[in-house]
Amino acid sequence: MSALEPRVPSGPETTVPVHEPSPPQSPPGGILEPAYRALSIGMISVIFLIAFEATAVATAMPVAARELDGVALYAFAFSAYFTTSLFGMVLSGQWSDRQGPLRPLAVGIGAFAAGLVCSGTAGVMWLFVLGRAVQGFGGGLVIVALYVVVSRAYEERLRPAIMAAFAASWVVPSIVGPLAAGTVTEHLGWRWVFLGIPALVIAPLVIALPAIRRTASGPVDTGKAPAAFDGRRIRLALGISAGAGLLQYAAQDLRWLSLLPGLAGAALLVPAVLGLLPRGTYLARRGLPAVVLLRGVAAGSFIAAESFVPLMLVTQRGLSPTLAGFSLALGGVTWAAGSWVQSKGRTAPYRERLMVIGMVLVAVAIAGAPAVLVESVPVWTLALAWGVGCLGMGLVIGSTSVLLLKLSPPHEAGTNSAALQISDALANVVLLAAGGAAFAALGGGAVGAGHAVAGGASHPAAFVVVFLPMAAVALVGVWVATRLEPAPAADSAPASGPAEK
């Protein structure tokens, strides 16, 4: 993939600073107007492939672990992706701010594909896990770089629409991905699930990269040469990745000895998080800090709860894994619908109010999910409830992305986009670890990072102690959603930007 990496100015050594590319000016229209068409199609294709990979690989993973005699390392195939993606997010934020998003995007797609090939050709489980780590690093580079492209290449009026298109790109993969991966795994083998996706990467590269070079390449023109990479932030990124990995490892084992890696992980995470997220994030300070916090609260509570929905249906209501998975299919459609609603221009003045409503829907859905533990409650009610929750998530997630770019100066779009993704990913792992530990403590079986389960749930209370606390977290998000309007200039100045600024 390195041959596909385009040539762009590399930073301080360039003779003439590269000006900030201006978003293409076009008549009022949508993201598929001629000025934006190639860029939009290319980026949407990238998101589509990432979504398809996420659903397809999760389906093939158990078969791969069994064939490689690596079931004991199953959970690490997930945690390796997560920990390296955190580092990739921070690196991509700095790289994009200093040299533009083109290189981190190209390198990220290349690493993502290389990781898939490494896993797909692995003969032993540790090589499979290594491939997942490389893939996660690439995914972290890609997602932040895409946000920076949106901030630079699209007029503000079009950003909600492209975010809605990103959300819609998950609908088909969430429905088709597991079925396609299951069929390929059964008839051709699990390796082809991993090896087939890299071949599909070429088309998005050919479409998107030239358009990005025209509209969003190079550093922002601030009147001086781009700053060098911030070594302190790189060290903090390594700390947050290592800390998250140790925390996940500790959550998989409830023995007293697991407290040691858990405490070590917390000792690495706390200073790293304080240094990488905007000052005031955990105080829900108005404006950018509240936006970043809301992203983590919403994503963490919902995804942690969703990880237990299929398991609850299989172990408590006797559904097959396929039917349990289909119970979440409606959510892909309603999530896209919520994102579409927030993208409409006439809803923009009411964005904060819509986000409050969205968090209420999320809290109600999570709190109502355990009702299916009562035998007299029809199973389809959970699918309906989760569709309502996904509608709320569509309203919230798309809007947090739009607000973050609106509140970020152009030369800080990468750093702040990385902070948003870190909040999202870190909340996922912390709340999954907490929920999994509570679930296992009440006899629910061993849960590895929200995925691998050993044994069935022995008591419905094991699910209740997961869903109700997550609903409480979502209710906190309702309050945070009331604090998204920036404070007056005199008060908000110290709150914008990373803690070390």
Side-chain angles (χ1 to χ4, degrees):
M1 299 301 298
S2 60
L4 295 175
E5 182 180 344
R7 295 173 60 212
V8 298
S10 57
E13 69 273 17
T14 54
T15 304
V16 180
V18 178
H19 64 81
E20 178 187 359
S22 300
Q25 299 299 315
S26 64
I31 59 175
L32 294 181
E33 288 294 309
Y36 297 98
R37 186 175 299 150
L39 180 63
S40 298
I41 292 175
M43 292 203 303
I44 291 170
S45 299
V46 171
I47 295 294
F48 181 88
L49 288 177
I50 290 175
F52 185 80
E53 181 277 337
T55 55
V57 167
T59 302
M61 195 82 74
V63 179
R66 285 197 301 269
E67 288 194 10
L68 295 175
D69 194 24
V71 175
L73 297 176
Y74 179 84
F76 290 99
F78 291 96
S79 61
Y81 182 101
F82 172 79
T83 54
T84 55
S85 69
L86 280 171
F87 179 73
M89 291 171 189
V90 177
L91 179 61
S92 184
Q94 288 208 52
W95 199 351
S96 298
D97 283 343
R98 286 155 177 78
Q99 299 182 11
L102 192 58
R103 282 189 173 181
L105 182 60
V107 173
I109 292 177
F112 191 81
L116 284 167
V117 172
C118 181
S119 293
T121 57
V124 291
M125 191 62 180
W126 71 266
L127 273 177
F128 184 91
V129 172
L130 176 63
R132 291 288 291 168
V134 174
Q135 188 186 347
F137 174 70
L141 289 174
V142 167
I143 191 63
V144 172
L146 285 178
Y147 270 59
V148 177
V149 172
V150 171
S151 73
R152 293 194 185 187
Y154 289 86
E155 300 171 43
E156 186 173 332
R157 65 182 177 84
L158 293 178
R159 291 173 188 169
I162 190 65
M163 291 300 177
F166 286 173
S169 300
W170 282 80
V171 175
V172 173
S174 66
I175 298 173
V176 176
L179 293 177
T183 301
V184 171
T185 299
E186 183 178 348
H187 293 93
L188 299 178
W190 64 268
R191 295 183 185 275
W192 287 104
V193 175
F194 289 83
L195 296 176
I197 295 175
L200 303 177
V201 170
I202 297 175
L205 279 174
V206 171
I207 296 172
L209 293 184
I212 294 172
R213 182 188 291 112
R214 291 194 304 270
T215 60
S217 62
V220 174
D221 183 8
T222 59
K224 54 185 178 181
F229 279 87
D230 187 338
R232 178 175 179 270
R233 290 183 66 80
I234 297 297
R235 290 191 296 272
L236 291 175
L238 290 171
I240 201 172
S241 297
L246 288 170
L247 192 64
Q248 290 178 90
Y249 175 82
Q252 294 166 20
D253 190 348
L254 294 181
R255 296 179 302 170
W256 285 106
L257 285 177
S258 66
L259 286 175
L260 295 177
L263 291 173
L268 289 170
L269 271 179
V270 172
V273 168
L274 292 176
L276 292 172
L277 298 187
R279 184 183 297 135
T281 295
Y282 290 108
L283 297 175
R285 187 172 294 170
R286 288 188 174 277
L288 182 64
V291 172
V292 172
L293 178 60
L294 180 62
R295 179 60 165 259
V297 169
S301 60
F302 192 78
I303 299 304
E306 186 178 64
S307 298
F308 290 87
V309 168
L311 177 64
M312 181 168 62
L313 293 177
V314 169
T315 61
Q316 300 298 312
R317 298 302 297 265
L319 269 65
S320 68
T322 300
L323 286 177
F326 272 123
S327 69
L328 303 177
L330 175 64
V333 177
T334 57
W335 190 311
S339 191
W340 177 81
V341 168
Q342 67 81 33
S343 74
K344 308 308 290 181
R346 57 181 173 271
T347 65
Y350 312 102
R351 184 174 302 281
E352 286 77 10
R353 191 177 305 173
L354 284 175
M355 296 173 78
V356 171
I357 294 172
M359 287 308 305
V360 170
L361 295 178
V362 170
V364 169
I366 297 175
V372 80
L373 294 169
V374 180
E375 288 291 334
S376 60
V377 175
V379 172
W380 58 263
T381 59
L382 189 145
L384 183 62
W386 219 247
V388 170
C390 285
L391 175 64
M393 288 293 287
L395 294 172
V396 173
I397 298 300
S399 291
T400 56
S401 301
V402 172
L403 285 177
L404 178 113
L405 296 178
K406 180 180 179 181
L407 295 172
S408 298
H411 63 283
E412 293 183 1
T415 297
N416 290 340
S417 295
L420 190 76
Q421 295 299 326
I422 289 170
S423 177
D424 185 319
L426 191 60
N428 281 339
V429 72
V430 170
L431 292 179
L432 272 171
F439 181 74
L442 269 72
V447 178
H451 295 278
V453 178
S458 60
H459 198 284
F463 291 99
V464 175
V465 297
V466 172
F467 285 95
L468 294 188
M470 297 307 160
V473 173
L475 284 176
V476 172
V478 175
W479 171 72
V480 176
T482 66
R483 300 180 57 80
L484 303 178
E485 287 284 351
D491 298 328
S492 62
S496 59
E500 68 268 21
K501 291 189 176 182

